[in-house]
Amino acid sequence: MGIVKGLVFGYCGRGVFWLIGLAVVGFGLPGCVEPGVQGVADPVAVAEREARKHRVRVLLANAQQALADDRLMVPKSDNAYGWYQQVLVIDERNPEAHWGMRRITARYLQLAEQAFRSGRVDKAEQMLQRAEKIAATSTQTAALREQYRQSAAANETYLPIRELSARSEKMQLQLTRLATQAQADNSRLLIVARSDAEGRWIYQQMRAAVTGYRLRGNIEIGRVPRVVLIDL
């Protein structure tokens, strides 16, 4: 056989092949592959894939430690929620990260229930809002809120957020009833509002409802608007 210009000759096991242009002609080539075209992993792609795997392992280890230490969403630079989020950016289906998010949610619901039981309503609401940000459903958080409100002290009246934000007529009527009750029982007030301006508005509505009577009380800033008749 003569040497043909441009002809690539090679071995593969017991077979022989010739590569002419883009065509491969050969015989007796079971399991042979075209050299430099198939069967050779891209070293750059392999390195990137291994780097991603290593990064995910590190992030998961950080997340698990933060979760064990109850660092759920704070501090900002080192918390379980943040670490798991970074994992999901790399691998959105990562089962460990999704499990971690569910654990954080469950822990916040647990903390909310504990805060409700100890009377720290604002703290409980903060925990519920964080749970809702992650994976808690509105049904779950509403059930906890309702459970607590049913067992709340008789001297506490919660103000519906939507009605209060709208300064609605319904809200004004509710405040009028509370002011009348405070006057009848000669009770001091504690107004809890989301802002100083909101607290002053609540007080003004109540004071206008009992002209000539001096309502006594304080305004506090909190997440859960309510009026407490202290002396009942």
Side-chain angles (χ1 to χ4, degrees):
M1 179 187 308
I3 299 176
V4 180
K5 187 176 181 180
L7 181 68
V8 179
F9 172 85
Y11 267 112
C12 183
R14 290 180 300 172
V16 182
F17 66 83
W18 290 270
L19 176 62
I20 307 175
L22 296 179
V24 177
V25 180
F27 59 89
L29 304 175
C32 292
V33 296
E34 183 179 342
V37 177
Q38 299 177 357
V40 179
D42 181 352
V44 174
V46 171
E48 290 178 348
R49 186 163 55 250
E50 290 303 314
R52 284 195 299 272
K53 288 182 180 178
H54 176 72
R55 177 63 175 162
V56 166
R57 286 195 295 269
V58 171
L59 291 171
L60 287 173
N62 291 342
Q64 290 159 5
Q65 185 60 57
L67 184 58
D69 293 341
D70 231 15
R71 288 180 278 112
L72 306 178
M73 294 184 81
V74 291
K76 185 176 180 180
S77 61
D78 183 12
N79 64 80
Y81 176 71
W83 294 123
Y84 283 128
Q85 270 194 320
Q86 291 186 56
V87 172
L88 293 173
V89 168
I90 300 172
D91 178 9
E92 64 181 2
R93 296 186 178 182
N94 187 278
E96 290 185 59
H98 285 290
W99 173 87
M101 289 297 194
R102 291 192 296 271
R103 290 294 306 138
I104 296 172
T105 303
R107 178 58 176 153
Y108 272 129
L109 292 174
Q110 182 184 40
L111 291 171
E113 189 169 7
Q114 291 173 0
F116 274 137
R117 288 176 177 174
S118 63
R120 296 174 296 149
V121 181
D122 294 329
K123 181 69 172 180
E125 186 62 28
Q126 181 186 48
M127 297 299 99
L128 288 179
Q129 289 177 4
R130 289 182 179 179
E132 289 172 337
K133 182 178 179 180
I134 306 172
T137 65
S138 57
T139 301
Q140 287 176 304
T141 54
L144 267 181
R145 289 185 179 102
E146 184 61 26
Q147 177 183 341
Y148 174 74
R149 286 170 185 169
Q150 287 178 353
S151 60
N155 64 334
E156 287 184 298
T157 301
Y158 290 87
L159 306 178
I161 297 294
R162 182 175 299 177
E163 300 293 341
L164 180 59
S165 298
R167 306 291 197 264
S168 69
E169 182 179 349
K170 182 178 180 180
M171 175 54 59
Q172 293 177 39
L173 290 172
Q174 183 175 14
L175 294 175
T176 295
R177 288 193 295 269
L178 288 171
T180 302
Q181 184 179 0
Q183 181 184 26
D185 296 315
N186 194 28
S187 177
R188 293 168 297 158
L189 301 174
L190 172 61
I191 296 173
V192 181
R194 295 169 296 176
S195 68
D196 185 61
E198 184 176 79
R200 289 198 305 271
W201 182 84
I202 293 171
Y203 178 76
Q204 289 166 3
Q205 301 307 305
M206 296 183 71
R207 186 178 62 181
V210 288
T211 304
Y213 177 78
R214 181 175 174 268
L215 285 172
R216 297 165 297 129
N218 295 313
I219 297 174
E220 290 185 359
I221 305 302
R223 294 174 179 270
V224 184
R226 61 193 185 276
V227 174
V228 182
L229 301 183
I230 298 173
D231 299 314
L232 285 190

